[in-house]
């Protein structure tokens, strides 16, 4: 039997509060990882059960009668002869994280008291809490102790858990919402010391168009020979001589959700079999001894949190080769409630004659989402990145973020039966083939796979290029339903209107307090939010692909002018009162939260006391559009594209389209729109406030700022003229127009003299 990596040495005098270790492997690098097996439970703070921190490269060193615990930066290496290696090691600082005296020699090992080592905040929880503005926390060693009885060791590694209590002010809103006493946060940290494989797996070079994660390091031994940046593809070891990749699912997941997770996770079997690796991968239920923190175990962990939160798939990799040594997936249980709320809001099942059938459709919606979620997060753990361009494929990838695809039936109903796709898409098969395929001539075979994917139109765009204010790719938007963005928006707007017009107490289970109807109304009011993002991405949008300089390809190309103009016109229409006003079916159903209940961040804000505020709903609906079209980076792109091609809409066109639907609206608001004129006025002012706010942004190029100022100056002149002539077409708002003209002129003259309102808050819409 091989010896344990580290000895757990009994300590009869202090069996519970002192941890003795026997160290015999000095200057042997291993991986240091930190997990939390007792979490904090806040979606805002991410300190969850099952959390796995970033791996670091560590080793024990002995200096005289002391043992040092040393961490090195794994992102810097130097290959070559001993002199080159030494130069590399001495060029970058290492970090001594702990030091302790040798108590005695025993069985060829140096025995040390490692209590201080395991009671250190290796996951930097205190720093994380400070960054999240929760206050300054420190480990209180008087209320912390090593969990000696739960420590484990073996030939492959050692696990050292500790109960850590963080002492702090307890004033942060996030910690106050979840902790029993926010002044004392007690978590369980699992310190894992994992040995690197003695027989390193051959590395597969990372290609940016492969869809895989690229991990790596700078090898300064390459200087003068080739690129110092080395990036490899993370992957499990597979093949006839390797054990299968097995993910075990937390028995804490209740049925039928557990079976859905196993079913969805096993979708990847099809791709492994098609790649010539049948039996190389499976997902199965974990037994009573399920322990996701054990080294070598690939676990799918069920995590509970307060609030809307993300799920996560991670792998621990050998930094030399990218070999995934084990992986962990965190599935947030609140996803069940989020998807169920969406289904109930759309179908309003309660109290209907067909309630049973509608509720069955909602339940299947939840299970379909969990199947997809399991496949997605396990895909991350297998080494695959997001692909937010896959809605352009013949079938979307499970590595995309899916929103429920809604179908409008011939009789005007909403059909959820095919809301989420089942099984893998062609991109997912490519991912497995490119990452796990076995080839005699690997570079040639991988290049051929990429060429075939490109010819098949399997576009790949990930993360920063698809999400966030600076994302610009026209075809890569998370949470969209697929197809052409403009058509998808039309479908979602029809579904939104049907659901809002049919709104009733039936959207909520009968045993829930009526204040929650507001949350369901907000969900429907903003149902089109992701399609708005997709259509807005066409304005100033570009298309490009990832690759290497030696690959065939082109640079970034602007979306065509006609599409941009159609997208701009359609988004501007969403600022008309007919689109923004909530129907009477909604307004007449809402009540404030009952006593002992309150609004969460999923609700729309209210400035009407405890009562639902329709004005705030309108302002959020306007901001849904303007936060995209008036984003400074987009306006800068629009200005350049228009300068290069006058057919593409420019900054003045963007502002003009928005004003045409609001301040310059030529027709009266229909009489049947609830609060019609007031709704339109609210939209007008919300847009104007946003336009003036954007002028203060220092990232705008001078020409963009000049065009914005020119558009606003022209608007002010028009408003003065219309207010004086009484020929506005909307004769009820001359005073408002004069006031708006004064506001614009005052701001353009001296921005400091005008108080602008904060931009409205739009409740979070992801994850779905």
């Amino acid at each position: 039997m091989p010896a344990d990596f580290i000895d757990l040495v009994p300590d009869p005098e202090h069996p519970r509060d002192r941890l003795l270790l026997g160290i015999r492997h000095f200057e042997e690098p291993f991986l240091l990882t930190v997990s939390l097996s007792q979490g904090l439970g806040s979606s805002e703070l991410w300190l969850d059960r099952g959390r796995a921190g970033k791996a670091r490269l560590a080793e024990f060193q002995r200096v005289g009668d002391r043992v040092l615990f040393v961490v090195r930066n794994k992102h810097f290496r130097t290959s070559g002869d001993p002199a080159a290696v030494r130069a590399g090691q001495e060029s970058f600082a290492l970090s001594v994280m702990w030091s302790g005296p040798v108590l005695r020699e025993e069985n060829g090992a140096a025995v040390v008291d490692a209590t201080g080592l395991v009671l250190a905040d290796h996951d930097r929880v205190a720093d994380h809490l400070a960054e999240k503005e929760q206050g300054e926390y420190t480990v209180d060693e008087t209320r912390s102790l090593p969990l000696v009885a739960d420590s484990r060791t073996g030939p492959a590694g050692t696990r050292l858990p500790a109960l850590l209590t963080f002492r702090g002010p307890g004033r942060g809103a996030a910690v106050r919402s979840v902790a029993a006493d926010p002044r004392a946060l007690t978590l369980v940290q699992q310190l894992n010391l994992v040995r690197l494989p003695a027989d390193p797996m051959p590395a597969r070079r990372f290609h940016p168009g492969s869809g895989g994660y690229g991990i790596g390091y700078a090898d300064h031994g390459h200087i003068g020979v080739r690129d110092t940046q080395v990036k490899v593809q993370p992957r499990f070891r597979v093949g006839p001589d390797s054990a299968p990749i097995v993910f075990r699912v937390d028995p804490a997941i209740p049925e039928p959700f557990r079976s859905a997770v196993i079913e969805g996770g096993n979708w990847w079997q099809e791709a492994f079999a098609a790649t010539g690796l049948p039996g190389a991968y499976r997902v199965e239920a974990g037994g009573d001894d399920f322990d996701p923190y054990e080294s070598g175990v690939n676990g799918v962990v069920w995590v509970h949190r307060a609030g809307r939160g993300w799920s996560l798939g991670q792998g621990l990799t050998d930094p030399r080769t990218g070999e995934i040594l084990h992986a962990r997936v965190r599935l947030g249980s609140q996803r069940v409630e989020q998807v169920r709320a969406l289904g109930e809001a759309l179908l309003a099942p309660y109290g209907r004659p067909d309630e049973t059938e509608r509720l069955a459709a909602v339940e299947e919606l939840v299970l379909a989402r969990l199947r997809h979620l399991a496949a997605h997060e396990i895909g991350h753990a297998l080494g695959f990145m997001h692909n937010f361009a896959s809605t352009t494929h013949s079938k979307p990838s499970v590595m995309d973020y899916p929103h429920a695809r809604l179908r409008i039936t011939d009789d005007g109903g909403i059909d959820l039966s095919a809301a989420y796709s089942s099984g893998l898409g062609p991109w997912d098969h490519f991912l497995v083939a490119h990452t796990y395929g076995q080839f005699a001539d690997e570079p040639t075979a991988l290049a051929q796979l990429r060429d075939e994917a490109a010819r098949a139109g399997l576009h790949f765009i990930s993360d920063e290029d698809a999400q966030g204010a600076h994302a610009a790719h026209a075809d890569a938007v998370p949470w969209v339903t697929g197809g052409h963005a403009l058509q998808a928006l039309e479908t979602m707007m029809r579904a939104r209107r049907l659901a809002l017009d049919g709104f009733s107490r039936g959207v909520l289970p009968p045993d829930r307090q009526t204040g929650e109807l507001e949350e369901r109304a907000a969900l429907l009011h903003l149902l089109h939010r992701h399609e708005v993002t997709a259509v807005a991405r066409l304005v100033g949008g570009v298309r490009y692909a990832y690759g290497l300089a030696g690959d065939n390809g082109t640079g970034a190309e602007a979306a065509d002018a006609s599409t941009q103009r159609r997208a701009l016109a359609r988004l501007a229409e969403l600022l008309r009162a007919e689109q923004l006003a909530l129907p009477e079916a909604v307004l007449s159903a809402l009540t404030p939260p009952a006593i002992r209940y309150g609004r969460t961040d999923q609700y729309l804000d209210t400035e009407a006391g405890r009562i639902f505020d329709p004005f705030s709903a309108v302002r959020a609906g306007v901001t849904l559009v303007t936060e995209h079209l008036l984003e400074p980076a987009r306006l800068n792109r629009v200005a350049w594209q228009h300068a290069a091609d006058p057919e593409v809409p420019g900054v003045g066109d963007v502002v003009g389209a928005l004003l045409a639907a609001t301040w310059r609206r030529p027709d009266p608001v229909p009489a049947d729109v609830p609060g019609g004129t007031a709704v339109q006025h609210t939209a007008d002012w919300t847009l104007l406030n946003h336009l003036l706010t954007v002028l203060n942004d220092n990232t705008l190029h001078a020409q963009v700022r000049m065009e914005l100022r020119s558009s606003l100056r022209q608007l002010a002149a028009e408003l003065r003229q219309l207010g004086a002539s009484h020929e506005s077409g909307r004769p009820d708002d001359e005073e408002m127009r004069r006031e708006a003209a004064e506001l614009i002129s005052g701001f353009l003259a001296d921005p400091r003299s005008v108080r602008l309102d904060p931009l409205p808050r739009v409740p979070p819409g992801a994850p779905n």
Side-chain angles (χ1 to χ4, degrees), residues 69-81:
F69 185 73
V70 175
V71 172
R72 295 186 182 276
N73 191 327
K74 66 180 180 179
H75 299 294
F76 296 103
R77 296 179 60 191
T78 304
S79 59
D81 58 30

Side-chain angles (χ1 to χ4, degrees), residues 723-739:
S725 67
H726 302 279
E727 297 177 357
S728 67
R730 289 163 60 186
D732 58 326
D733 54 23
E734 287 85 357
E735 182 62 33
M736 184 185 81
R737 288 170 179 268
R738 283 194 292 268
E739 185 175 337

Side-chain angles (χ1 to χ4, degrees), residues 134-410:
Q134 301 303 300
E136 298 295 327
Y137 282 82
T138 57
V139 175
D140 184 345
E141 293 192 5
T142 66
R143 289 181 281 177
S144 304
L145 69 157
L147 299 177
V148 179
D150 296 331
S151 298
R152 300 285 185 271
T153 193
T158 301
R159 182 175 59 170
L160 304 172
L163 185 147
L164 301 184
T165 299
F166 292 84
R167 180 179 64 245
R171 291 189 291 270
V175 294
R176 289 173 64 87
S177 69
V178 293
D181 186 333
R183 297 168 300 178
L185 309 179
T186 301
L187 311 175
V188 175
Q189 171 184 274
Q190 303 274 350
L191 203 61
N192 300 284
L193 285 57
V194 181
R195 298 183 84 176
L196 295 169
D199 55 334
M201 183 183 77
R204 177 161 294 178
R205 183 182 177 185
F206 168 74
H207 188 283
S210 68
Y213 283 103
I215 67 168
Y217 51 89
D219 188 340
H220 292 86
H222 290 180
I223 289 176
V225 179
R226 55 185 181 274
D227 186 4
T228 58
Q229 296 299 316
V230 177
K231 290 192 180 296
V232 298
Q233 165 69 57
R235 56 188 183 135
F236 282 92
R237 191 177 299 221
V238 294
D241 300 325
S242 302
I245 306 165
V246 180
F247 281 81
R248 295 186 169 85
V249 175
D250 196 339
I253 305 178
E255 290 291 2
F257 309 132
R258 188 190 319 151
S259 292
V261 168
I262 294 171
E263 180 183 345
N266 275 319
W267 288 350
W268 291 106
Q269 287 184 327
E270 177 187 351
F272 276 93
T275 305
L277 295 165
Y281 165 88
R282 69 176 184 273
V283 180
E284 62 188 27
D288 294 337
D289 60 347
F290 176 75
D291 184 357
Y293 310 105
E294 190 66 38
S295 179
V297 171
N298 305 312
V300 179
V301 184
W302 195 234
V303 179
H304 305 303
R305 308 185 187 97
R308 182 185 288 262
W310 297 88
S311 297
L312 207 68
Q314 297 171 281
L316 175 66
T317 56
D318 182 340
R320 303 168 300 178
T321 65
E323 179 180 356
I324 302 174
L325 306 177
H326 63 257
R328 188 175 308 143
V329 168
R330 281 182 276 164
L331 298 183
S333 64
Q334 73 275 21
R335 191 67 62 91
V336 171
E337 293 304 310
Q338 291 162 8
V339 178
R340 181 172 284 144
L342 174 63
E344 290 172 343
L346 289 168
L347 298 185
Y350 298 102
R352 300 258 193 166
D354 58 348
E355 176 178 317
T356 300
E357 291 81 359
R358 288 176 182 250
L359 286 177
V362 172
E363 190 68 13
E364 178 50 38
L365 181 76
V366 173
L367 295 176
R369 182 67 186 98
L370 284 180
R371 293 183 195 105
H372 196 288
L373 179 65
H376 178 99
E377 301 303 345
I378 290 175
H380 283 316
L382 289 170
F384 310 143
M385 295 189 74
H386 294 125
N387 186 356
F388 294 132
S390 86
T391 48
T392 64
H393 301 176
S394 59
K395 182 178 181 180
S397 166
V398 300
M399 300 313 299
D400 210 331
Y401 281 168
H403 191 279
R405 295 189 175 202
L406 312 179
R407 190 179 73 85
I408 310 302
T409 62
D410 293 339

Side-chain angles (χ1 to χ4, degrees), residues 505 513-519 587 589-599 603 606 608-613:
R505 291 193 174 196
Q513 61 96 15
T514 55
E516 291 183 54
L517 291 168
E518 266 194 44
E519 186 177 10
L587 298 175
L590 303 184
T591 69
I595 193 70
R596 300 295 185 186
Y597 294 91
R599 292 181 172 92
Y603 287 66
T606 177
R610 286 184 50 77
I611 302 300
F612 177 79
D613 184 358

Side-chain angles (χ1 to χ4, degrees), residues 493-573:
M493 291 299 293
R494 287 183 62 198
R496 172 181 177 271
R497 178 53 55 189
L498 286 169
L500 286 172
D501 287 343
F503 192 86
S504 70
R505 291 193 174 196
V507 302
L508 201 64
D511 59 351
R512 305 273 278 275
Q513 61 96 15
T514 55
E516 291 183 54
L517 291 168
E518 266 194 44
E519 186 177 10
R520 302 293 165 94
L523 186 64
L524 295 177
H525 182 52
L526 304 174
L527 185 66
H528 58 309
R529 63 193 310 152
H530 304 299
E531 277 65 36
V532 166
T533 304
V535 174
R537 192 70 65 74
L538 297 171
V539 181
V542 295
R543 294 183 172 91
Y544 53 91
Y546 306 132
L548 301 175
D551 298 338
N552 294 325
T554 60
E557 298 177 345
D560 68 273
S562 62
T563 299
Q564 292 202 40
R565 291 189 178 277
R566 286 190 294 124
L568 178 58
R570 183 63 184 97
L571 290 175
E573 290 178 13

